[in-house]
Amino acid sequence: MNSDVQIAGDPLALPHLLPPVPAHPATVAGFVGLARSIAADRARWAPLVRYDATTRWYHRLRTVPAGPGAGQAPLGYEVWLLSWLPGQGSGRHDHGPSSGVLTVLEGELTEHGPNGTRVLSAAGAAGRGRERERERVFAPGYVHEVVNDALVPAVSLHVYFPGLTEMPMRPGGGQVGALGAPGAAGVPGVLGASAGAGAVVGRGAAEAAGDVGR
């Protein structure tokens, strides 16, 4: 069965059709625009990137709580910056009740999802070989596994709306370990990756609390 996107094309692939990025997005297109605006501001995120051979490095860039009042987001959201050394992966998981936008800023990541394997590349459509794109938009309950199968490090940006509160692991993934970052609404084990045993990583609480560009 053909989907509306297959018939009409993906409007997110046409940046000039996206609305201006609001201060507090309230739609999927708005959050995609937010991710793209942050990705384009390399001077803002590039100096923050670090790499860790024992766990995926992560840094929370922004947290906006939910609130019904004027000037507040109907949905709260979080923005995270992650790095991936070759071989590091997320394990097979979903994101609980959160939707999200995953954007590759440097290098490339391989996603194993319900529709097969895709390469997400900072080069986007300029990449060759397997089907490549730069970002992935997903709904609550979307199950996937993300791995750096390349020979060079990668950096990615993650926008979760509402803010990430859980990331349950699912059986069948090819990677061991993958979760363990504090700081998502008090739920341990959300973003980082323990290279060996999938344990919760104890470091990073102060780092995760140090939001940038609130």
Side-chain angles (χ1 to χ4, degrees), residues 102-187:
L102 161 61
T103 304
V104 176
L105 303 177
E106 290 184 349
E108 66 180 40
L109 296 171
T110 300
E111 183 201 39
H112 304 286
N115 297 317
T117 298
R118 291 176 181 265
V119 176
L120 304 176
S121 171
R128 296 180 180 178
R130 291 173 291 176
E131 183 178 357
R132 295 169 189 254
E133 51 196 271
R134 189 179 187 187
E135 62 197 14
R136 163 66 69 204
V137 180
F138 53 84
Y142 180 76
V143 179
H144 69 166
E145 178 180 17
V146 181
V147 184
N148 183 359
D149 283 336
L151 299 179
V152 295
V155 180
S156 58
L157 183 78
H158 303 247
V159 180
Y160 297 106
F161 49 99
L164 200 62
T165 58
E166 58 181 285
M167 186 182 280
M169 296 298 294
R170 298 297 191 93
Q175 296 294 314
V176 178
L179 303 182
V187 177

Side-chain angles (χ1 to χ4, degrees), residues 1-205:
M1 179 180 296
N2 291 330
S3 68
D4 291 342
V5 169
Q6 289 173 314
I7 295 171
D10 183 1
L12 300 180
L14 304 172
H16 64 281
L17 296 182
L18 290 174
V21 179
H24 301 287
T27 66
V28 172
F31 283 108
V32 170
L34 172 68
R36 290 179 177 178
S37 68
I38 296 174
D41 190 1
R42 182 179 179 84
R44 178 183 176 189
W45 56 262
L48 302 174
V49 175
R50 302 291 183 271
Y51 297 96
D52 190 323
T54 61
T55 179
R56 275 185 304 150
W57 174 91
Y58 54 89
H59 179 77
R60 185 162 58 189
L61 288 174
R62 184 183 300 180
T63 300
V64 175
Q72 293 183 317
L75 286 175
Y77 68 90
E78 293 180 332
V79 181
W80 291 82
L81 184 67
L82 276 72
S83 68
W84 313 65
L85 288 172
Q88 291 183 334
S90 68
R92 191 167 182 264
H93 65 281
D94 66 48
H95 309 87
S98 298
S99 298
V101 183
L102 161 61
T103 304
V104 176
L105 303 177
E106 290 184 349
E108 66 180 40
L109 296 171
T110 300
E111 183 201 39
H112 304 286
N115 297 317
T117 298
R118 291 176 181 265
V119 176
L120 304 176
S121 171
R128 296 180 180 178
R130 291 173 291 176
E131 183 178 357
R132 295 169 189 254
E133 51 196 271
R134 189 179 187 187
E135 62 197 14
R136 163 66 69 204
V137 180
F138 53 84
Y142 180 76
V143 179
H144 69 166
E145 178 180 17
V146 181
V147 184
N148 183 359
D149 283 336
L151 299 179
V152 295
V155 180
S156 58
L157 183 78
H158 303 247
V159 180
Y160 297 106
F161 49 99
L164 200 62
T165 58
E166 58 181 285
M167 186 182 280
M169 296 298 294
R170 298 297 191 93
Q175 296 294 314
V176 178
L179 303 182
V187 177
V190 186
L191 291 174
S194 175
V200 172
V201 178
R203 71 169 179 83

